[in-house]
Amino acid sequence: MDCEKVHKDLIFYIEGSLDEETMRSVEDHLSSCSSCAGFADMLRTSLDIIEKEKKIPEDREFTDKVIAGISEERKTGKVTPLVAILRYVAAAAVIIFGVFTGMNIAKVVSGTGDNVTGAMDDEVYIINDLYQEPIESFFLLKYKDDE
Amino acid sequence: MSLNNDSSNEKNLVLALIAGEEDAYRRIINTYRKPVLRLCNGFTGSSEDAEDLAQDIFIEVFNSINKFKARSSLSTWIYRIAVNKSLNYIRDRKKRKYEMYSPSGDMDNDSHQADSPDYRLMQKDHAYALHNAIDSLPAAQRTAFILNKYDDLKYAEIAEIMNTSISSVESLLFRAKRNLQKRLHDYYRKNLK
């Protein structure tokens, strides 16, 4: 095995993820090539840094810092997730209420309530007394009384 | 850390987070502080930067919890936020400050050699070389490498976080290691002879 081939596979050799035969070939090469052996040592030392950086010490203050950070953000105007959801729900409720109210008013004004099918008609009568006594006839009657 | 899939506990925890319960915040931080900090160490190469970044990540998690749709596990979702925040953090940090590098964890305490100035200098050199090499990797390779090496996640878990296939993760990791090795070799040849 030549130096170039060993260099390509060295990181996998250090991980121990090469097949048995290749592991042995790399090992043989390293025992007879000081340049590759030196590089292997340096690579191993650098990869060991990862193992050291993975050790996270206990830190009880971290949690308090995060919670203080959230409280600070909320004080300065940011809203809690629950409030954000409630805002969306309230906005949706207002829109739905507005649409239904608008539809009912439109039916009354245009006098097309009869054309609306089935069960909806009854609800419209109950909600809108004006449908049973249209405003035009109210004025007409009043006009007659005045006369 | 293995990804937690206990769905009923997770659902209750998410509801408590949405309600803004401090106890739920503490549970999340206790569970994910170490994995998130390990990931941040991998991306930043600095324990101080990692801690600042990890705090930002948890605040983002709590402020965005109402966007969690349970299409993935909570841990996958937290990891995604952590990766995105880390990549943005690195992108925004114009100039790397490895000369201020402070080894994280128990690096200074795990050996009697730690007191030696030469040992400490050598560790700093290797950490500098390693993080320069990691930093030079394309974002996807870097992410897969850090999730695998720093957080010990399995290929399937990395694939879920990165929203890709297991074979793509294998390929990303293979290329990441080859590239890392090449960059380290170049660095040693230039600087450590």
Side-chain angles (χ1 to χ4, degrees):
Chain A
M1 197 175 243
D2 60 17
C3 291
E4 197 180 333
K5 176 81 180 106
V6 169
H7 271 202
K8 272 189 176 176
D9 286 339
L10 215 43
I11 194 163
F12 304 107
Y13 166 77
I14 290 166
E15 278 186 339
S17 57
L18 295 173
D19 62 76
E20 215 171 299
E21 194 187 332
T22 317
M23 285 290 279
R24 244 194 326 268
S25 301
V26 175
E27 219 164 273
D28 288 346
H29 181 89
L30 292 179
S31 63
S32 61
C33 175
S34 60
S35 167
C36 288
F39 176 46
D41 282 345
M42 287 189 176
L43 193 57
R44 197 177 282 115
T45 309
S46 281
L47 293 174
D48 281 349
I49 298 283
I50 294 176
E51 295 308 313
K52 287 166 183 163
E53 289 183 350
K54 278 162 69 173
K55 291 177 189 167
I56 307 291
E58 293 303 324
D59 179 5
R60 291 179 191 282
E61 288 177 11
F62 182 88
T63 306
D64 294 334
K65 282 182 199 164
V66 173
I67 288 173
I70 298 167
S71 306
E72 190 59 35
E73 282 207 359
R74 302 223 164 123
K75 269 185 207 163
T76 55
K78 291 200 176 177
V79 294
T80 63
L82 183 62
V83 172
I85 289 172
L86 288 176
R87 279 186 182 175
Y88 283 119
V89 171
V94 168
I95 291 168
I96 291 166
F97 178 77
V99 168
F100 276 100
T101 308
M103 282 168 62
N104 287 331
I105 290 171
K107 279 180 208 161
V108 171
V109 170
S110 65
T112 56
D114 288 340
N115 297 333
V116 180
T117 54
M120 278 291 287
D121 292 352
D122 297 336
E123 288 176 33
V124 172
Y125 291 141
I126 294 162
I127 295 167
N128 301 293
D129 289 342
L130 284 172
Y131 185 81
Q132 292 176 315
E133 189 181 356
I135 199 139
E136 292 89 346
S137 51
F138 172 78
F139 279 122
L140 283 171
L141 287 171
K142 198 169 186 245
Y143 181 72
K144 278 178 187 168
D145 287 346
D146 288 346
E147 273 188 338
Chain B
M1 188 197 72
S2 66
L3 303 182
N4 177 18
N5 288 316
D6 187 342
S7 59
S8 68
N9 281 349
E10 192 168 286
K11 199 175 169 185
N12 290 336
L13 186 57
V14 170
L15 289 173
L17 288 171
I18 290 172
E21 290 177 19
E22 190 177 313
D23 186 51
Y25 291 159
R26 288 184 182 278
R27 276 177 63 197
I28 287 287
I29 296 168
N30 286 341
T31 308
Y32 294 101
R33 186 181 76 88
K34 286 188 179 181
V36 167
L37 271 171
R38 278 197 285 267
L39 182 100
C40 296
N41 274 339
F43 275 106
T44 65
S46 149
S47 54
E48 287 85 5
D49 286 357
E51 185 165 325
D52 290 346
L53 178 56
Q55 285 178 25
D56 287 348
I57 288 166
F58 281 110
I59 290 172
E60 176 77 24
V61 165
F62 299 144
N63 284 336
S64 309
I65 191 67
N66 54 325
K67 293 178 191 159
F68 176 65
K69 305 293 180 210
R71 289 191 200 110
S72 62
S73 69
L74 184 61
S75 67
T76 299
W77 185 73
I78 291 172
Y79 265 115
R80 283 181 188 153
I81 290 178
V83 168
N84 283 332
K85 290 282 279 185
S86 300
L87 289 171
N88 289 338
Y89 183 90
I90 297 304
R91 205 172 296 139
D92 293 344
R93 194 169 64 177
K94 302 287 181 196
K95 189 174 176 292
R96 304 305 300 263
K97 294 175 181 170
Y98 284 133
E99 62 273 17
M100 292 172 69
Y101 175 77
S102 168
S104 51
D106 299 330
M107 192 179 280
D108 292 346
N109 303 321
D110 62 352
S111 160
H112 64 280
Q113 287 180 300
D115 293 332
S116 149
D118 284 349
Y119 176 81
R120 291 170 68 91
L121 194 64
M122 187 193 76
Q123 291 288 301
K124 277 195 171 188
D125 273 344
H126 282 286
Y128 179 86
L130 174 73
H131 283 288
N132 256 337
I134 291 175
D135 218 30
S136 68
L137 296 174
Q141 288 181 28
R142 198 186 331 159
T143 302
F145 181 81
I146 289 169
L147 288 170
N148 180 243
K149 286 291 175 189
Y150 278 83
D151 274 334
D152 294 323
L153 295 188
K154 294 170 189 157
Y155 290 3
E157 293 169 330
I158 298 169
E160 200 187 340
I161 293 165
M162 295 181 73
N163 205 18
T164 188
S165 64
I166 293 175
S167 59
S168 295
V169 171
E170 282 172 353
S171 167
L172 282 170
L173 281 170
F174 182 80
R175 284 182 282 139
K177 288 170 191 174
R178 275 263 167 96
N179 285 333
L180 193 83
Q181 178 178 260
K182 188 179 179 312
R183 305 266 153 74
L184 285 169
H185 187 243
D186 292 346
Y187 179 84
Y188 297 145
R189 222 173 30 194
K190 283 180 196 161
N191 301 288
L192 296 183
K193 281 216 163 172

